[in-house]
């Protein structure tokens, strides 16, 4: 029986070796593989810092902090929701990248460098729309560069940190608006407990169900997600 299995079920073998390239094409293929591995390594950073993910996940985290719930919703749910909202918001840009850059490159119609430049264009357009001019000017002046005449003159390494700074400010502005109604509830509950002489009773424990009730009655998740989507339009 063992002999039959050995003859009918071949086991795969993986060989990893380093040898001398016989022609320039072998070197080019090796460099392409290294480039792909590098891009895959940087993919999480690209997803976080060059898309709508940063603003989305920060605003969702502000909701949990404003409600006063420690781990509800859990981090996995917040990150998963932020990830799918990012895909929804970035769908037009990703579709353009796939149509104009990825498919032509796979079909051999574009070189790697040309495909990269074409694929970056929709992402750069998205970042420019969300980046404040003040932040962009700061990074351009810190590099000692001249004032660009058009968005094409701004390199991507300067655009990315300016975009991130702008996203952080917008996310904190939305978070401030989210905190206000819950802060009012905390103040009312704390004042009521002090007036009743209940000094030892934690106000957070009493205000938590009222904040959850308010959030449910106003359909908070719908309002917050809608505000996030509108902020990117």
């Amino acid at each position: 029986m063992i002999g039959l299995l050995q003859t009918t079920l071949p086991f795969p073998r993986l060989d990893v070796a380093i040898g001398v390239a016989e022609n320039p094409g072998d070197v080019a293929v090796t460099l392409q593989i290294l480039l792909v591995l590098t891009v895959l390594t940087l993919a999480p950073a690209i997803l976080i810092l060059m898309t709508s993910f940063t603003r989305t996940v920060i605003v969702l985290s502000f909701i949990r902090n404003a409600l006063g719930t420690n781990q509800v919703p859990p981090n996995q749910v917040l990150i998963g929701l932020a990830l799918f909202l990012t895909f929804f918001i970035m769908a037009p840009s990703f579709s353009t990248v796939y149509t104009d850059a990825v498919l032509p490159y796979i079909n051999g119609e574009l070189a790697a460098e040309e495909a990269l430049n074409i694929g970056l264009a929709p992402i750069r357009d998205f970042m420019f729309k969300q980046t404040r001019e003040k932040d962009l000017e700061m990074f351009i002046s810190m590099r000692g560069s001249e004032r660009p005449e058009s968005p094409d003159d701004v390199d991507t390494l300067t655009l990315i940190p300016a975009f991130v700074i702008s996203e952080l400010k917008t996310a904190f502005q939305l978070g401030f608006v989210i905190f206000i109604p819950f802060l009012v509830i905390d103040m009312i509950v704390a004042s009521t407990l002090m007036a009743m002489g209940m000094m030892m009773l934690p106000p957070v424990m009493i205000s938590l169900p009222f904040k959850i009730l308010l959030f449910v009655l106003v359909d908070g998740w719908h309002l917050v997600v809608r505000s996030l989507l509108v902020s990117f339009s």
Side-chain angles (χ1 to χ4, degrees):
M1 183 67 177
I2 296 177
L4 180 61
L5 289 176
Q6 290 178 347
T7 56
T8 58
L9 296 177
F11 292 95
R13 182 180 67 182
L14 178 63
D15 293 332
V16 179
I18 299 176
V20 179
E22 298 179 357
N23 53 67
D26 295 339
V27 179
V29 172
T30 303
L31 293 178
Q32 289 178 1
I33 294 174
L34 291 176
L35 179 62
V36 170
L37 292 177
T38 303
V39 171
L40 290 177
T41 304
L42 298 176
I46 294 173
L47 177 64
I48 292 173
L49 299 181
M50 297 179 64
T51 64
S52 60
F53 182 84
T54 300
R55 185 192 306 184
T56 304
V57 74
I58 290 177
V59 171
L60 295 179
S61 299
F62 268 125
I63 295 175
R64 186 172 64 183
N65 293 332
L67 285 171
T69 55
N70 295 327
Q71 294 297 329
V72 180
N75 290 330
Q76 294 86 344
V77 175
L78 288 184
I79 294 176
L81 177 59
L83 190 61
F84 279 99
L85 286 176
T86 300
F87 290 149
F88 180 82
I89 295 169
M90 300 297 299
S93 300
F94 288 162
S95 178
T96 304
V97 171
Y98 182 76
T99 304
D100 296 346
V102 177
L103 277 181
Y105 175 72
I106 293 176
N107 296 330
E109 300 173 2
L110 292 176
E113 184 177 356
E114 189 178 2
L116 179 62
N117 293 331
I118 295 176
L120 274 177
I123 306 299
R124 283 170 54 90
D125 291 341
F126 172 81
M127 289 192 291
F128 271 116
K129 291 178 182 178
Q130 308 302 327
T131 303
R132 294 185 304 161
E133 202 173 313
K134 179 180 178 182
D135 295 329
L136 193 58
E137 289 179 353
M138 179 188 69
F139 284 100
I140 293 175
S141 63
M142 292 300 293
R143 295 195 66 175
S145 303
E146 298 181 357
R147 183 180 179 87
E149 298 180 359
S150 66
D152 295 334
D153 297 332
V154 180
D155 61 289
T156 305
L157 292 180
T158 302
L159 176 60
I160 292 175
F163 169 74
V164 174
I165 294 298
S166 300
E167 286 293 281
L168 289 175
K169 179 180 180 180
T170 305
F172 275 72
Q173 289 174 337
L174 292 173
F176 173 76
V177 175
I178 291 172
F179 258 95
I180 290 178
F182 300 109
L183 180 61
V184 171
I185 293 178
D186 286 333
M187 294 176 62
I188 293 175
V189 170
S191 301
T192 304
L193 292 177
M194 290 183 63
M196 297 175 63
M198 299 181 179
M199 299 292 190
M200 303 303 294
L201 189 62
V204 177
M205 183 181 301
I206 305 300
S207 63
L208 178 59
F210 291 101
K211 290 191 288 188
I212 295 176
L213 179 62
L214 172 66
F215 194 69
V216 172
L217 289 178
V218 300
D219 200 0
W221 290 111
H222 174 85
L223 293 177
V224 171
V225 171
R226 185 179 184 277
S227 299
L228 269 173
L229 298 177
V230 171
S231 68
F232 285 104
S233 60

